[in-house]
Structure formats: C-alpha cells, structure tokens
Amino acid sequence: MKRIRITPAWYFSDEAGNQLDPKLFGLLEAVHRHGKLTQAAEAVGISYRHAWNLLNKWGEFFGIALVDLERGKGARLSPLGEKLLWAEQRVIARLGPQLESLGSELNLAIQQTLEGVKPVLRLYATHGYAVELLPAYLDELRLDLQYCSSREALSALHRGACDLAGFHLPRGEVGKRVSRGYRDLLKPRSYRVIRFITRRQGLIVAPGNPLGVKGLNDLAKGEVRFINRQVGSGTRALLDGLLEGEGLATRRIRGYELEEYTHSAVAAYVAAGMAEVGFGVEAAARRFGLDFVPLALEDYLLVGHRRSLAEPKLQSLCQVIAGEAFQAAVAELPGYRPDRCGQVEGIESLLPD
C-alpha cells in the first residue's frame, strides 16, 4: 500500500531569485561519506560532470567553496560545506518525529476514505528506532502512531486517547527512581505490559573519543561541551537519575541547559562539532559515525488496558512483534535487541516497593 512520507526541504535564495538545489545536500553527504567526488556522484545518481557543476554553481552562490578537491587526496567538505550538511541533518533529526506523526494521520485518513472505516490501533509512544519499524510490518493493521514523551503517552492512555502507550524504563536502581514519576499513571488492576525491546543508552562522543570520555564524571571537566535532551523526555529522566546516583551537580556540566528533542538530533549536534558529548541511544551514535560509551540498559515497553488485550488488533500487533521478521530487523539496530517481544505481563514488576 502506498504511504505518504513527509520530509523537510529548505532553500537558500538571493535577491535575484536563485535558489539552492536540494540535490546539493545529498551530494555533500555522499562526499562526506566516501571522500571521493566520483563515488559521491555515483551514490546520488548523477554524473561526475553534473556533480562538479553543482558544486561550482553553489560555491559561486555562497562566494566560497563547499568541497575541497586535491589531486591524489580525494574530496572533503570545506568548513561551510560541513556547516550546511550538519544543519540539514539537525533539521531532519529534530523535525522527524513530528513529521512522522503527521504522516501517520494523513495515511490513516486516506486509507479510511479509500477503504472505509476499519479498526485502528492508536499508539502513543516515545520516539525510537524500533518503534519506527512498526508501520512496515503491520500490513493490513491500521496504525495511528503519535510520538510524544513517556508521561504524555501514559496520560493519553489514562484518558482513553490511545490503545497503547510506549515508554521506556531503565533497569536497576535508577529505573526504580524513574518509575516513581509514573506511579500515578500506572494502574496495576487495569493495565498490562507488552514486552517490546531492550536498548542501550550512554554517552555519544566524536569518532575515536579524542577527549577520552569514560563516564559521567568526565562531563564535569571544563573542556567538555555537552548537549542534553529536553525536560520531560524519558532519556532526560534517565540521565538525571544517573547523575543523582553519581552525586554530580548539573551546574558543573557545561551545556547541560542546552536541549535537543530526539536521539538523532543529539548525535547530529555532536557530529557537527557543536558539542563533544551528548546522551542518547547507541543506534543514533552509529548512524552519524560517532563513538559510544554505554552507561545504562533500559526496557522499551507497551502498556494497554487489560480488557483490550483480547481485541484482534492487539493480538495482531503481538504476533507481528513476536515474529522472526520484525525481531531480525530490531537485532540489526546497534544497541537494540528484541526482548520477550509480545509477552504480556502484570504492571507490578515496574513499580518499586
């Protein structure tokens, strides 16, 4: 079935009305990845001559070269080329979850218009790479996927706005502290947990880890610039719990007050050289060619009403996530692993004594 996918596009223009060709961003990313203009042109599906002309045209537009070419040394992005590439990557990473949520709404509306109203599974969840995979594996099951914070997802379930809430809880003592913040929304008599995946979170650092960052204590060193996640996110709650456990004051961390809204946006921020360290999942670090220092293991869980679990749409979801195809896709994500996918448990195990 055809699906709408919304991707951001942005343009530079000058007084004469000249506009930047969006193909340039793909070419810059390919040059960064391959280090050779011939391979970069092939990767984006254009001729070497076209790539050369594109770089020359937009180098003249900005008044400075975007790629430095040296005989025998290949190609590398100039400082401006790097700024453009990472600015585009940050825009995509920051807006991605909101655009996916909007795309989900539009796809659902179109399907219902073409095929009539059919049962819809409404999932409110924190954004994650495993959750991103779900629409491709659900086939005929209509999914309304809305991204939000853990608390917002559980609040939506509490007021009946969704069928399932997806959120993540760290393991160990920090998980007990984090779960206390959700106690008022987790109803042991009414709700059940559907196991989903386990993933690693930790410090996202530059390739080769040039500052030798090994743990949270290194964030307090003056030369380390940090990029944080936003208040209210589960990842921010995890970080704050870990800092509390280490007895580290947030005021000692340079950049603690600076926030991004997705794991990918944090990784793009570090990749752009705007910070030396961020906090997020390993998969985000690897996607941007960065290194990773693991600090915590957490469970990503789906919570729904006990009375709803026998409904065909929830049974279908459990079958999909328990299947070999979906679990194989999850296992390919760095730092992710399927963990008792589709298994239903009581809510009591999530609540500290």
Side-chain angles (χ1 to χ4, degrees):
M1 179 174 292
K2 294 181 175 64
R3 293 181 181 274
I4 292 174
R5 183 176 181 182
I6 304 173
T7 55
W10 48 298
Y11 300 87
F12 285 96
S13 61
D14 59 16
E15 295 81 0
N18 298 310
Q19 286 192 332
L20 187 67
D21 189 334
K23 284 186 178 179
L24 177 64
F25 292 110
L27 182 59
L28 293 177
E29 194 278 330
V31 168
H32 174 73
R33 186 170 67 251
H34 296 288
K36 291 183 179 296
L37 187 57
T38 51
Q39 293 180 11
E42 183 179 353
V44 297
I46 60 178
S47 68
Y48 180 87
R49 180 181 293 275
H50 187 182
W52 177 266
N53 290 337
L54 197 61
L55 292 175
N56 282 339
K57 176 182 178 180
W58 296 110
E60 292 176 2
F61 177 86
F62 286 106
I64 189 171
L66 303 180
V67 172
D68 295 326
L69 298 169
E70 294 185 45
R71 185 178 299 275
K73 294 185 179 181
R76 61 184 179 85
L77 299 182
S78 70
L80 178 59
E82 288 187 347
K83 292 290 186 185
L84 286 175
L85 172 61
W86 294 121
E88 190 238 8
Q89 292 291 318
R90 288 180 61 214
V91 167
I92 293 173
R94 182 178 289 182
L95 297 180
Q98 291 92 331
L99 294 178
E100 287 181 39
S101 294
L102 179 57
S104 177
E105 292 177 12
L106 293 174
N107 282 315
L108 183 60
I110 291 171
Q111 289 171 7
Q112 290 179 335
T113 300
L114 294 175
E115 305 170 14
V117 176
K118 294 184 178 181
V120 175
L121 177 62
R122 301 168 301 165
L123 172 60
Y124 280 47
T126 60
H127 185 263
Y129 296 116
V131 176
E132 265 185 358
L133 297 174
L134 280 175
Y137 289 86
L138 291 180
D139 298 324
E140 296 303 314
L141 179 60
R142 275 64 176 161
L143 180 67
D144 179 14
L145 175 58
Q146 299 295 318
Y147 290 120
C148 55
S149 71
S150 292
R151 187 164 186 87
E152 288 170 338
L154 290 169
S155 295
L157 180 66
H158 185 65
R159 65 177 184 270
C162 64
D163 301 302
L164 289 175
F167 75 113
H168 47 100
L169 274 181
R171 293 186 177 181
E173 289 300 316
V174 66
K176 292 180 180 179
R177 289 196 292 271
V178 170
S179 67
R180 291 189 182 99
Y182 305 135
R183 181 182 285 275
D184 60 321
L185 295 171
L186 293 172
K187 310 296 183 181
R189 291 185 179 181
S190 303
Y191 294 165
R192 293 293 182 269
V193 175
I194 300 175
R195 288 282 171 180
F196 190 45
I197 56 96
T198 299
R199 64 186 188 181
R200 283 197 295 265
Q201 292 231 50
L203 300 177
I204 297 172
V205 299
N209 195 3
L211 294 182
V213 174
K214 296 180 180 178
L216 293 173
N217 284 299
D218 292 322
L219 300 183
K221 296 179 179 178
E223 70 271 20
V224 176
R225 295 174 299 166
F226 183 67
I227 179 64
N228 208 345
R229 282 293 302 278
Q230 80 277 18
V231 173
S233 68
T235 296
R236 176 65 169 264
L238 168 58
L239 173 65
D240 288 347
L242 292 172
L243 291 173
E244 181 183 347
E246 294 281 344
L248 283 173
T250 58
R251 66 178 181 276
R252 299 178 58 195
I253 300 174
R254 181 184 175 193
Y256 176 86
E257 71 284 356
L258 300 177
E259 300 176 348
E260 280 289 359
Y261 287 80
T262 67
H263 295 285
S264 293
V266 168
Y269 201 97
V270 175
M274 300 173 69
E276 283 76 40
V277 185
F279 190 81
V281 296
E282 182 175 357
R286 303 308 179 193
R287 283 195 180 188
F288 284 84
L290 302 169
D291 281 357
F292 181 77
V293 180
L295 293 181
L297 199 63
E298 65 179 11
D299 296 309
Y300 196 114
L301 308 163
L302 307 177
V303 177
H305 286 277
R306 174 181 55 81
R307 63 178 182 271
S308 302
L309 293 178
E311 294 180 7
K313 59 186 179 183
L314 287 173
Q315 291 291 310
S316 295
L317 174 70
C318 289
Q319 290 173 8
V320 167
I321 64 178
E324 291 183 5
F326 180 76
Q327 293 192 28
V330 170
E332 291 181 0
L333 296 170
Y336 279 69
R337 72 168 187 261
D339 183 17
R340 293 167 282 171
C341 290
Q343 179 176 315
V344 177
E345 299 180 356
I347 212 83
E348 296 82 0
S349 61
L350 307 181
L351 300 173
D353 297 331

